Amino acid sequence: MSDEEVIGIINARIAEEFELDPDMMVAQALLYDDLGLDSLDRVDIVILLEQAFKFKIREEEAIREIRTLGDIHGFVINKVRSLSEGQGA
Amino acid sequence: MPDGRPLHSLIMNLLVYPLIALWTLAGILAFPFLYAFWKIFVNADRSRIMRLFVWVYGRGWMAIMSPFVTFRRDGFDQITASAPYVIVVNHLSFFDFYCMALLPFDNVAAAVRSWPFRMPWYGPFMRLAGYLDVESLGWKGTLAKGAETLSEGGSIVFFPEGHRSRDGKLHRFMSGPFRLSVETGVKVLPLCLTGTDVLLPPGRWWISPARICLTALPPVDPKSFDGPSAHLKLRKFIQAMMARKINSMRDE
């Protein structure tokens, strides 16, 4: 799966779940201030990502550092890469 | 001033605001005596007494409004008055919570933002009634305190949109109330409110005659939804049924 595909899936799932305008889904968008999400929505995003990409991430420390949509993109891209490398090894 | 019957509206504004102020002042002055009476002779819990007072205050507000506003409620024959519910209501106006006096039970707390708690004539009573300040508590604290309230038999009203709708449409729902329902197993009672946006929409100070209708939809059992995203499925299900009902109520 390419990075663009990963980003497309993330943006589509979050926009659909939280009824956000697709035009708002830019990497620099702050989850709270720009997208109007709250602390529970962050938890829900983790559930959405786990369902979309079939991995478990809720216990990972790096999730707590996420502030922007771009942080989510980067986190998931790295996760998908590390999982595919692990499967290839 | 509004279109339609300007003299009627003018009289309404000249009468209703002073009467609400008087009713509020009377309530504040009478409160210590009524509270002491209830505490001594009924020996009820503090928050329970306060919720009854708030409900009575709401009934007084309805009486003041009644020459200019008609109130109707539907669907409450299927509601168990003694059962606690996670109540979700669409949000149109500052006066929406006053309309909770239409509920056939009074043991109701509200989960709201911080600003109503800062109103000196309401804030202390809201705290005594055990209302939940979502912004100060955060969602984690709100869910913990909410679960405690429900376990004590009190229902909790949420406005899941978080803000008043400025176009009358139902907007995005926050997931907090639905997570609370899933975590506690308490049913969600969806309420659909129309007419308060005619009475006092956001961004306006004068009030207008209105027909207010509060309709209860059948309570939804969270146990019908499973998995880690059960609260999200519950939220979508309820949001869709409320949107359909509100559209049909507006068409009537």
Side-chain angles (χ1 to χ4, degrees):
Chain A
M1 193 183 296
S2 70
D3 292 356
E4 286 72 26
E5 285 173 319
V6 170
I7 290 170
I9 291 170
I10 294 169
N11 289 356
R13 292 297 291 265
I14 293 176
E16 184 200 351
E17 186 61 43
F18 300 105
E19 298 173 35
L20 298 169
D21 185 340
D23 292 341
M24 297 167 74
M25 307 305 287
V26 292
Q28 64 271 30
L30 291 160
L31 300 184
Y32 288 3
D33 295 340
D34 296 331
L35 300 184
L37 303 179
D38 61 31
S39 57
L40 283 187
D41 294 332
R42 279 174 69 101
V43 179
D44 292 342
I45 286 173
V46 171
I47 295 170
L48 288 178
L49 296 175
E50 287 184 345
Q51 289 175 340
F53 295 99
K54 313 290 183 215
F55 52 42
K56 289 284 177 197
I57 53 172
R58 63 188 69 182
E59 303 298 334
E60 296 203 15
E61 281 294 317
I63 290 174
R64 298 180 216 287
E65 306 303 320
I66 285 173
R67 299 284 178 272
T68 66
L69 189 57
D71 293 341
I72 296 177
H73 295 159
F75 175 84
V76 175
I77 287 169
N78 287 335
K79 188 75 185 172
V80 169
R81 277 184 193 155
S82 66
L83 285 174
S84 58
E85 283 166 9
Q87 285 171 349
Chain B
M1 279 285 159
D3 298 333
R5 302 158 65 190
L7 184 62
H8 192 64
S9 290
L10 180 65
I11 293 168
M12 180 185 187
N13 279 271
L14 291 175
L15 276 178
V16 163
Y17 276 127
L19 283 174
I20 290 175
L22 271 178
W23 175 235
T24 305
L25 182 64
I28 292 170
L29 294 175
F31 164 73
F33 305 102
L34 290 171
Y35 183 82
F37 177 86
W38 244 266
K39 197 70 190 165
I40 293 166
F41 293 102
V42 183
N43 196 26
D45 171 69
R46 182 193 68 196
S47 58
R48 188 72 190 78
I49 298 172
M50 288 309 304
R51 289 172 199 163
L52 172 64
F53 287 176
V54 170
W55 185 82
V56 171
Y57 175 79
R59 298 298 288 193
W61 173 83
M62 285 173 58
I64 291 167
M65 287 287 183
S66 61
F68 309 95
V69 178
T70 60
F71 294 96
R72 200 182 89 201
R73 73 179 186 198
D74 287 328
F76 284 93
D77 47 335
Q78 60 202 331
I79 306 304
T80 311
S82 59
Y85 292 106
V86 174
I87 300 172
V88 292
V89 196
N90 60 305
H91 200 6
L92 299 168
S93 167
F94 172 76
F95 283 131
D96 286 350
F97 189 72
Y98 293 64
C99 296
M100 294 306 105
L102 280 164
L103 290 172
F105 47 87
D106 58 75
N107 190 6
V108 176
V112 291
R113 291 178 177 274
S114 292
W115 68 265
F117 286 90
R118 291 196 286 270
M119 291 192 287
W121 55 94
Y122 286 151
F125 302 103
M126 292 168 69
R127 287 190 187 85
L128 286 169
Y131 285 16
L132 287 70
D133 178 347
V134 177
E135 280 180 300
S136 299
L137 289 168
W139 272 113
K140 197 175 172 187
T142 301
L143 294 179
K145 193 174 175 193
E148 191 183 315
T149 302
L150 293 168
S151 72
E152 292 165 355
S155 295
I156 307 173
V157 170
F158 286 89
F159 294 100
E161 294 161 281
H163 298 279
R164 291 168 291 177
S165 172
R166 290 178 179 266
D167 57 11
K169 292 178 185 165
L170 203 59
H171 289 267
R172 183 170 82 83
F173 275 14
M174 295 179 292
S175 60
F178 309 97
R179 185 176 278 273
L180 178 63
S181 168
V182 168
E183 287 182 0
T184 59
V186 172
K187 289 180 183 176
V188 178
L189 173 58
L191 299 180
C192 299
L193 187 61
T194 55
T196 53
D197 52 341
V198 177
L199 175 66
L200 183 70
R204 214 177 71 184
W205 62 268
W206 74 82
I207 48 181
S208 299
R211 287 185 298 172
I212 291 174
C213 184
L214 183 70
T215 300
L217 298 177
V220 180
D221 193 337
K223 295 182 184 76
S224 307
F225 303 85
D226 54 15
S229 58
H231 62 292
L232 299 177
K233 295 175 199 164
L234 178 63
R235 186 191 76 194
K236 280 184 181 170
F237 178 79
I238 288 175
Q239 189 176 9
M241 68 193 280
M242 286 178 68
R244 280 195 301 274
K245 185 63 188 176
I246 289 167
N247 284 339
S248 72
M249 287 166 75
R250 290 195 182 282
D251 291 342
E252 282 173 7

